[in-house]
Amino acid sequence: MTTTAPATGPRTSDDATTSTPVPPIALGAMLFGTRHDDAESFDLLDAYVEAGGVWIDTADCYAFWADDSGRGGQSEPVLGRWLAARPGMRDRVRIATKVGCEPLWPGSFPERTTGLGADLVRSVARQSLDRMGIDRIDLFWAHRDDRSTPLPEVVDGFGGLVADGVVGAWGFSNTALWRAERAAGLARARGLAEPTGLQLRYSYLQPRPMVRDHEHDHRFGWITDEVLDYAEANPAVGLWAYSPLMSGAYERADRPVPEGFDHPGTARRLAVLAAVAADLGVSRSEVVLAWLAGGTPRVSPVAGVSSLAQLGTAMAGVRLVLPPEARERLDAAW
């Protein structure tokens, strides 16, 4: 029997059996089953849980771009095999997965992908449960908006799964804020569970206004000041940030900051970030994660790591409590 996730917002790591409380941080399982084989994936998963981690984030489409088939579905079965090999582990972790970005055929992304029709959402949920060998998805994400499906149908699909006990909570990724708020209103009117999560890109550096995520075709894939204000006014809504460390750009010279971040504010923020990290004797990545996890509103990172060393950095970062003056310096650079 699996334990249930809360009806609203992310579950914190200190709700599970750990010796040291850890702010919410999800382990991104995107490349499990493609770049990482079972042995590597199991090592990362074991170390994450041992360090106090609770949330594991995946999707039905992971990782179609990294597999010769051009289709997804490799990550969830790895999690299923790991859970099967670790009796009792399901009670210690929370599983988040997504629907809505699987290519309709190899090479069709981003133009043609599965959407968010109610029947498809229910079908993919059952598929994900079967792949992972579980009876409940703790948090089910709409991977990106689907304007071809009426929003009431989207709400009925996800809300119905919550009502049936198949899903603990649901939310939106890569979706305009007004759509999420409208969905919440529709859910209330229908007596269904409201979306209580937003997963978008976010980091200490911010892109220029109107820059879009062309690589993934996610027009509304960013946490903006409006999103932060919305979350602060709606404490039941949890914010999750993917790509918080910008693929290593804070630490590695061979991983340059993307062109969309080329503006005077970036240089100013990088200088302050480096100074704060040096003063505290930690890495810049740790400072970024501490800034996210300890801010108001709190933003929970989704850490896609490729090594135990990277995982150690991520867990140390969310545990790090920034001195007030350090946070003030970081915020003032904005």
Side-chain angles (χ1 to χ4, degrees):
M1 177 67 69
T2 60
T3 54
T4 59
T8 59
R11 183 186 179 97
T12 60
S13 298
D14 46 315
D15 289 325
T17 306
T18 64
S19 58
T20 305
V22 180
I25 175 173
L27 177 63
M30 183 169 65
L31 295 174
F32 292 1
T34 48
R35 183 178 299 171
H36 302 299
D37 61 19
D38 278 19
E40 294 169 329
S41 302
F42 285 21
D43 284 348
L44 290 169
L45 288 160
D46 289 343
Y48 169 71
V49 174
E50 182 65 24
V54 171
W55 281 97
I56 301 167
D57 184 84
T58 186
D60 71 313
C61 70
Y62 290 162
F64 67 82
W65 60 93
D67 193 82
D68 291 341
S69 70
R71 296 187 179 276
Q74 296 79 27
S75 175
E76 289 178 334
V78 173
L79 296 179
R81 292 190 290 272
W82 175 70
L83 290 170
R86 305 287 189 271
M89 185 61 75
R90 181 64 184 100
D91 292 328
R92 299 179 60 185
V93 298
R94 303 292 171 264
I95 304 293
T97 191
K98 311 179 190 71
V99 56
C101 269
E102 171 71 355
L104 292 183
W105 60 84
S108 71
F109 181 89
E111 291 81 9
R112 300 295 300 275
T113 66
T114 53
L116 300 176
D119 288 344
L120 186 139
V121 166
R122 285 190 287 266
S123 175
V124 170
R126 292 295 179 185
Q127 171 186 267
S128 293
L129 292 172
D130 289 343
R131 284 175 173 172
M132 292 185 281
I134 59 178
D135 58 14
R136 181 183 176 88
I137 297 167
D138 297 304
L139 179 53
F140 201 27
W141 295 105
H143 207 153
R144 66 172 179 171
D145 201 0
D146 173 16
R147 300 289 178 93
S148 66
T149 298
L151 198 53
E153 181 180 345
V154 175
V155 170
D156 289 346
F158 284 93
L161 287 171
V162 176
D164 292 342
V166 176
V167 166
W170 71 285
F172 285 101
S173 182
N174 304 308
T175 300
L177 183 60
W178 71 267
R179 294 275 289 174
E181 172 63 12
R182 183 169 293 182
L186 289 169
R188 286 193 296 272
R190 285 167 153 70
L192 295 170
E194 299 177 32
T196 55
L198 295 170
Q199 185 179 145
L200 303 157
R201 286 187 66 178
Y202 194 53
S203 188
Y204 180 60
L205 297 183
Q206 288 289 286
R208 298 189 308 271
M210 299 300 291
V211 170
R212 298 178 182 177
D213 184 352
H214 292 291
E215 180 182 357
H216 301 102
D217 193 40
H218 296 324
R219 179 181 178 186
F220 299 107
W222 306 94
I223 289 179
T224 63
D225 195 40
E226 184 177 18
V227 173
L228 294 172
D229 180 65
Y230 178 80
E232 191 166 3
N234 295 274
V237 176
L239 290 183
W240 295 87
Y242 67 85
S243 300
L245 299 180
M246 301 178 64
S247 301
Y250 290 111
E251 308 292 345
R252 294 175 52 175
D254 63 331
R255 299 288 179 87
V257 174
E259 188 275 334
F261 293 76
D262 184 13
H263 58 81
T266 291
R268 183 170 63 248
R269 292 170 193 168
L270 285 175
V272 172
L273 177 63
V276 169
D279 289 347
L280 298 178
V282 299
S283 69
R284 285 169 287 186
S285 293
E286 288 172 78
V287 173
V288 169
L289 295 176
W291 179 81
L292 289 171
T296 303
R298 177 171 59 192
V299 180
S300 302
V302 180
V305 300
S306 298
S307 68
L308 293 175
Q310 291 178 1
L311 177 63
T313 295
M315 301 308 286
V318 294
R319 278 195 172 99
L320 175 65
V321 178
L322 294 174
E325 61 273 16
R327 182 171 292 278
E328 290 171 6
R329 289 171 65 191
L330 292 165
D331 291 344
W334 282 47

